[in-house]
Amino acid sequence: MGPVTAVGIEVDGTGLEVPEGTSLLSAALAAGVELPALCSDDRLSPAGSCRTCLVRAGGRVVAACVTPVSPGVRVETATADLDALRRDAVELIASALPPRALADGNPGELARICRSMGIAPETARGAGGRGGDDSHPYVRLDRDLCIACGRCVRMCSEVQGTFALTLVGRGGDTVVAPGTGGPWAESDCVACGGCVDTCPTGAITQPGPARGLTSGIRPAAAPTRTTCGYCGVGCALDVVVREGGIAAVLPARDGPVNHGHACVKGRFSHGFRTSPERLTRPLLRRGGVLEPVGWDEALAHTARALRAAVDAGGPDAVAAISSARATNEDNYLIQKFMRVVLGTNNVDNCSRLCHSPSAAGLTASFGLAGGTDSFDDVQRADCLLVVGANPVEAHPVVGARLLNRVLHGAALIVADPRTVGLARHADVHLRPRPGTNVALFHGLAHILLAEGLTDEEFLRERATGLPELTALLAGYPPERVAELTGVPAADLVAAARRYGRAERPAIVYGLGVTEHLHGTDGVRALANLAILRGAVGSDRGYGVNPLRGQNNVQGASDMGALPDVLPGYGKVTDPAVRARAQDVWGIRVPERPGLRIPDMFTAARAGDLRALWVIGEDVRATDPDTNRVTRALDTCPFVVCNELFLSETARHADAVLPAASWLEKDGTFVNFDRRFQRVRPAVPPPGGTRTDFDIVRALAAAMGTDLGCATPAEALAECGRLAPVFAGLSHDRLDREGAVPWPCPDPGRPGEAKLYTERFATPDGRARLAAVPYLPPGEEPDDDYPLLLVTGRRWAHYNSGSMTRRGGNLALDPVDFLDVHPDDAGRYGVRDGVPVAVESRHGRAGLVARVSEQTAPGQVFCSFHFPASGVNRLTSHHADTVTSCPEYKVTAVRLAMP
Ligand SMILES: Nc1nc2c(c(=O)[nH]1)N[C@H]1C(S)=C(S)[C@@H](COP(=O)(O)OP(=O)(O)OC[C@H]3O[C@@H](n4cnc5c(=O)[nH]c(N)nc54)[C@H](O)[C@@H]3O)O[C@H]1N2
Ligand SMILES: Nc1nc2c(c(=O)[nH]1)N[C@H]1C(S)=C(S)[C@@H](COP(=O)(O)OP(=O)(O)OC[C@H]3O[C@@H](n4cnc5c(=O)[nH]c(N)nc54)[C@H](O)[C@@H]3O)O[C@H]1N2
Ligand SMILES: [Mo]
């Protein structure tokens, strides 16, 4: 992408310069002239079909949206004949529609344009009667209002990449329809809301109070700009509130990551907020049952219980699991509470279950715990290597942007045992046996070396460890790697050559790399590829980028909700780090690293952990080997939960404190490419609930300590004093600038979106190649348990499903399926749609079989979004040897009678 040349043009007699390639429509807008353009949306390629944006350019009448500027062109927009032509075009379109198309108060684009052109509502006098489709919970189709502009179809294909919609019929009868022919609800639609957002007439709307609102049509009252509280993409959303309730959540066109796009969760899944099951009062267990009590009583009781645990077993007899769903400020306070009020480092967050191997591996290879490049840069790559990640379902906006890049010519290599969405568009799809990544990556590295596809200068000047790695890689020739991984040698060679010969490759990866017995080794072996290519910290590629999972899992860890580090990743064992914290907090920080989540459970089972505070994590549903977790929690004398709902964990707790959700909170999140963004309350916490921030402060007060940090803004400011990498951040700055990436030590300078351009953050400033041997996974299939279970995500539900099962998403995905390959279905006598029991060495779960070729023979796949199915009773306690991240991706199982 070279520099863009400016072109001098004239619009209605005024000269201006616009970039080469600009359409006359955009050029007119730049000159302050807004033209009607019913088939146009600046997120889409131009169509030029509606003829409502006619202008005269160089003497000819043309559709402005499809005509690019030419140097010196004179554009006329405002003559009487052009006004008449445009009005005629709009009038013709409107006249075919039924009267409701232009009814008073219709906020739609067409109705607004008609009003501005003085086209009377009576113009719309079409007969209608074409019917509609209301089969879908979030999308309604009114065929009578369709003008066949094709914006929805292009949104679905160009922005979302789902290709679910098409135009059918002829001439004036042309209308949008799901490509599969049947009802919308049964189509390929993934409810991203893109079609709703672009439709100019109200033919496609979302039902309910949001009807007619789109990101282009703002309601009178300003919406609240916030950051999505589901996954780690960090979509900027505008929340529209009416009569105290959320009427619509619209993707922000200027959202730095989402650029006007969103997904089914961020856009539509807010029904949980007003679910009758939402907790609104604190609960205390009395005589075996949870009973509602007032806040004072709940806090006093909890404070007494924590104090009693410390008295009985010392500060380390208490632990907290902090929440990656909660804000940075919540997390900052929670870890401060544990260290300052109780005097223990026993605090951890679900990064442990997720990307702790990324933090450890990336730190070891490069020096810092985050991804190396901004996603905007990743999207400039000419070759994408997507490993063990399913962004089409788990990070849909990222998935859509990656797919878009591929459709525009980037090469795509997917490494995933399953045929995930992106794999269908891949140049090479590597399907390793689960748990064999290290061998796979070494196999690719072997070929890079053997074929001279490495960057020798980079390796000489900016990396260490090449001799050791070279020696190790000698043992990973393609044939052997093919045996270890099941990936044909020819595919390995093809993939290595693509990655090796690309000009600017990027690696994007997910839990298929981390959630393994050797997850950290996997991250390091993957990082080797970027280092060998010199494609990190340089202009020759876009590094290694984990698609972090939870909305704020990066932030929860950044804030020091981890047992071994303080905010900003300074080690608790480092006296200088502790001294800095002592300066800010005024207490001595305990120097012994605390317990990791699985060790908390072990300590509980042993009777050593006497109180556990679980904040926004349903450990009884989502941690592995549920039976062991249950024993731990049942043995622990006091368990308190901050929750929105009576989750599996809360249901068995001794105290439950009802918490506010992301839509009701003030603070910040850090997304997967290290950007801090603001979270703002669109609505107040429902009566009786409190924000986690307030709960932590109140509990500290009940224990006689003022935690300071009266507001979230003050908490982030205090964090910046403790952690130099965040010193340049503040709520005020984020309010002004939107998103700011860390490292950001200086309030007057931008944060670092791309890392390591000068040097790596390792002690010697060099990237470190890792010579780690391949070791087999913790479980292998055998005669008793012949199948390998892989667990992961489905698009419509989110983790424990506590929020997505309460609302319309349940209708989109009501059943917990076990995907079984047709060969295995035949072998084990399983039919599509029948209930199956799954057994592992650790427990039993009940699911419904779905026969599908998405999984490989010998492997089965399911999600963990329906706790009642008991999927995590199957998963084992095997965990990454470096970070204790569970081996969720590999469990030997068998099918049994339900
Ligand atoms: N819809 C939805 N979105 C979510 C979530 C959700 O629950 N639902 N959760 C959020 C969270 S917390 C997270 S962490 C992210 C996770 O996002 P992802 O990491 O994309 O999620 P997963 O589906 O768990 O795993 C990714 C892929 O790893 C593959 N895999 C398994 N084993 C191996 C292996 O040995 N090698 C390779 N190469 N691949 C393997 C699986 O087949 C799977 O397709 O998603 C976030 N977004
Ligand atoms: N089998 C299997 N299991 C897995 C995984 C897998 O791939 N396979 N993935 C693992 C991964 S990567 C992750 S991250 C975990 C996620 O596991 P969890 O963190 O347990 O899952 P969530 O459903 O995201 O959220 C937990 C709870 O937080 C509550 N909550 C939401 N927002 C807030 C808030 O602001 N404050 C408070 N106090 N509570 C809130 C929700 O109601 C929910 O009950 O699951 C892990 N479990
Ligand atoms: Mo996660």
Side-chain angles (χ1 to χ4, degrees):
M1 267 172 255
V4 184
T5 335
V7 178
I9 61 162
E10 206 175 88
V11 176
D12 296 332
T14 311
L16 72 154
E17 290 208 332
V18 295
E20 195 177 8
T22 303
S23 70
L24 295 184
L25 185 66
S26 307
L29 195 64
V33 181
E34 202 174 335
L35 296 165
L38 285 169
C39 68
S40 162
D41 180 319
D42 54 19
R43 293 165 289 186
L44 306 173
S45 65
S49 61
C50 76
R51 317 278 306 163
T52 57
C53 65
L54 297 176
V55 296
R56 190 171 281 109
R60 285 177 40 235
V61 175
V62 294
C65 66
V66 281
T67 314
V69 293
S70 50
V73 70
R74 291 180 164 190
V75 187
E76 282 178 350
T77 71
T79 64
D81 68 322
L82 287 168
D83 281 343
L85 281 174
R86 289 194 297 258
R87 193 173 187 283
D88 287 351
V90 174
E91 207 166 38
L92 185 69
I93 290 169
S95 66
L97 304 179
R100 64 180 179 283
L102 302 189
D104 252 7
N106 182 335
E109 191 175 322
L110 175 69
R112 203 167 33 104
I113 288 171
C114 286
R115 280 196 289 275
S116 74
M117 291 181 135
I119 296 173
E122 297 73 47
T123 309
R125 49 179 187 279
R130 294 197 289 190
D133 185 328
D134 59 2
S135 61
H136 194 282
Y138 298 133
V139 186
R140 290 274 185 285
L141 171 63
D142 179 346
R143 290 195 188 88
D144 292 340
L145 295 184
C146 180
I147 58 171
C149 64
R151 274 161 70 165
C152 51
V153 177
R154 277 174 287 146
M155 197 74 183
C156 195
S157 56
E158 294 175 12
V159 174
Q160 169 56 30
T162 299
F163 303 92
L165 302 179
T166 183
L167 291 177
V168 296
R170 279 160 184 260
D173 280 335
T174 309
V175 64
V176 61
T180 41
W184 199 292
E186 287 165 27
S187 73
D188 296 334
C189 170
V190 291
C192 69
C195 54
V196 173
D197 203 63
T198 193
C199 178
T201 64
I204 304 178
T205 50
Q206 96 181 66
R211 237 187 99 86
L213 291 181
T214 71
S215 64
I217 301 167
R218 292 318 174 86
T224 304
R225 170 64 57 91
T226 192
T227 307
C228 184
Y230 284 102
C231 83
V233 171
C235 292
L237 301 174
D238 287 330
V239 184
V240 182
V241 174
R242 281 191 188 156
E243 290 164 14
I246 291 178
V249 178
L250 305 173
R253 299 258 184 133
D254 55 349
V257 197
N258 55 317
H259 305 306
H261 200 44
C263 83
V264 62
K265 299 183 300 301
R267 170 139 193 161
F268 295 117
S269 310
H270 45 82
F272 72 86
R273 233 186 47 80
T274 51
S275 157
E277 292 169 303
R278 182 86 190 262
L279 296 172
T280 54
R281 297 177 68 186
L283 305 170
L284 288 183
R285 187 168 299 281
R286 292 210 170 111
V289 288
L290 284 173
E291 286 180 355
V293 296
W295 271 103
D296 287 347
E297 192 179 348
L299 291 167
H301 180 91
T302 304
R304 270 196 308 276
L306 297 187
R307 184 60 65 208
V310 173
D311 289 346
D316 290 338
V318 183
I321 298 177
S322 194
S323 182
R325 304 300 300 276
T327 62
N328 288 319
E329 294 74 5
D330 297 339
N331 277 282
Y332 178 76
L333 270 204
I334 291 159
Q335 61 84 34
K336 184 176 177 186
F337 179 100
M338 296 307 285
R339 290 172 166 133
V340 170
V341 180
L342 299 181
T344 175
N345 284 313
N346 284 347
V347 58
D348 204 354
N349 75 82
C350 77
S351 171
R352 183 68 53 209
L353 315 178
C354 185
H355 275 285
S356 53
S358 294
L362 294 172
T363 303
S365 293
F366 304 125
L368 292 174
T372 60
D373 287 71
S374 79
F375 189 66
D376 284 337
D377 280 346
V378 168
Q379 227 197 354
R380 294 192 180 100
D382 60 342
C383 174
L384 295 161
L385 173 54
V386 180
V387 189
N390 183 13
V392 167
E393 299 197 56
H395 300 84
V397 168
V398 157
R401 285 186 62 183
L402 291 174
L403 187 53
N404 190 283
R405 184 70 196 102
V406 171
L407 296 175
H408 284 90
L412 174 66
I413 307 159
V414 169
D416 197 301
R418 301 185 305 133
T419 320
V420 288
L422 282 181
R424 296 194 199 108
H425 302 268
D427 298 287
V428 188
H429 178 196
L430 309 170
R431 298 186 80 173
R433 261 194 299 278
T436 62
N437 284 327
V438 174
L440 178 75
F441 305 151
H442 285 345
L444 297 173
H446 177 105
I447 300 163
L448 292 180
L449 275 180
E451 303 204 353
L453 297 173
T454 58
D455 185 330
E456 284 173 21
E457 188 192 334
F458 184 95
L459 289 171
R460 218 172 26 246
E461 288 173 10
R462 298 199 60 189
T464 58
L466 184 60
E468 296 81 356
L469 181 64
T470 308
L472 178 90
L473 291 179
Y476 293 87
E479 304 69 36
R480 172 159 185 255
V481 171
E483 259 168 51
L484 293 173
T485 63
V487 175
D491 289 355
L492 288 168
V493 173
R497 284 183 185 159
R498 281 203 182 260
Y499 182 78
R501 289 175 185 165
E503 277 179 30
R504 289 178 312 278
I507 297 173
V508 171
Y509 73 94
L511 300 179
V513 175
T514 57
E515 287 180 340
H516 288 287
L517 184 62
H518 302 288
T520 302
D521 289 354
V523 173
R524 297 214 62 194
L526 186 59
N528 283 347
L529 301 178
I531 301 171
L532 288 171
R533 272 293 331 257
V536 53
S538 76
D539 56 7
R540 294 184 294 287
Y542 302 112
V544 188
N545 303 282
L547 289 175
R548 306 271 338 216
Q550 302 268 40
N551 52 321
N552 198 37
V553 65
Q554 180 71 52
S557 303
D558 295 347
M559 293 298 113
L562 290 171
D564 54 339
V565 294
L566 293 179
Y569 298 97
K571 290 208 178 314
V572 293
T573 48
D574 180 342
V577 168
R578 286 202 309 278
R580 199 165 51 229
Q582 186 167 349
D583 280 349
V584 178
W585 290 342
I587 55 108
R588 286 188 46 168
V589 177
E591 62 178 278
R592 189 154 65 111
L595 297 172
R596 297 170 171 182
I597 292 172
D599 303 328
M600 293 177 189
F601 298 143
T602 308
R605 281 190 297 272
D608 297 332
L609 191 73
R610 311 193 59 84
L612 178 64
W613 187 7
V614 186
I615 297 142
E617 188 167 322
D618 191 2
V619 293
R620 269 185 198 249
T622 56
D623 273 56
D625 204 348
T626 310
N627 292 331
R628 282 162 61 110
V629 175
T630 301
R631 254 183 287 136
L633 297 192
D634 289 350
T635 314
C636 187
F638 182 73
V639 176
V640 49
C641 288
N642 290 18
E643 251 301 338
L644 274 48
F645 296 101
L646 262 193
S647 65
E648 292 302 308
T649 310
R651 195 185 305 287
H652 294 91
D654 301 287
V656 183
L657 307 174
S661 76
W662 60 281
L663 288 155
E664 302 145 358
K665 280 183 171 187
D666 176 37
T668 55
F669 293 153
V670 188
N671 80 335
F672 77 101
D673 68 351
R674 289 179 281 105
R675 296 177 217 224
F676 275 75
Q677 300 188 92
R678 286 280 278 123
V679 178
R680 299 187 184 88
V683 282
T689 70
R690 292 190 183 180
T691 63
D692 290 303
F693 194 86
D694 287 346
I695 296 172
V696 183
R697 293 192 80 237
L699 190 57
M703 297 189 73
T705 306
D706 179 356
L707 266 190
C709 308
T711 62
E714 283 174 39
L716 187 62
E718 183 177 293
C719 176
R721 281 193 275 137
L722 217 103
V725 280
F726 309 130
L729 293 153
S730 64
H731 281 208
D732 280 349
R733 178 170 183 184
L734 293 166
D735 287 339
R736 282 193 312 274
E737 295 180 27
V740 180
W742 73 263
C744 183
D746 186 336
R749 312 247 324 253
E752 280 176 54
K754 184 181 179 75
L755 296 178
Y756 315 127
T757 48
E758 308 274 305
R759 64 194 302 278
F760 290 92
T762 52
D764 63 1
R766 287 162 176 254
R768 294 197 202 122
L769 291 162
V772 288
Y774 163 71
L775 297 167
E779 296 212 343
E780 306 262 19
D782 59 16
D783 289 346
D784 288 336
Y785 298 97
L787 294 167
L788 256 187
L789 170 70
V790 177
T791 59
R793 273 110 191 118
R794 310 263 192 211
W795 64 278
H797 288 296
Y798 196 79
N799 291 342
S800 71
S802 80
M803 290 145 107
T804 49
R805 281 181 289 104
R806 294 180 168 96
N809 287 38
L810 189 60
L812 296 173
D813 185 6
V815 179
D816 208 357
F817 285 115
L818 179 76
D819 296 348
V820 184
H821 189 273
D823 292 357
D824 295 315
R827 181 166 306 129
Y828 301 106
V830 167
R831 274 177 302 113
D832 198 58
V834 302
V836 277
V838 186
E839 290 174 354
S840 75
R841 296 185 181 93
H842 320 281
R844 184 179 164 100
L847 295 136
V848 174
R850 178 162 69 186
V851 178
S852 141
E853 293 192 8
Q854 214 189 12
T855 51
Q859 294 168 24
V860 288
F861 176 86
C862 68
S863 78
F864 58 106
H865 304 319
F866 294 79
S869 309
V871 166
N872 275 319
R873 289 201 289 266
L874 300 170
T875 49
S876 73
H877 56 273
H878 297 297
D880 176 39
T881 50
V882 178
T883 66
S884 309
C885 179
E887 191 179 42
Y888 286 118
K889 298 295 186 248
V890 187
T891 310
V893 298
R894 65 181 169 219
L895 305 183
M897 293 310 280

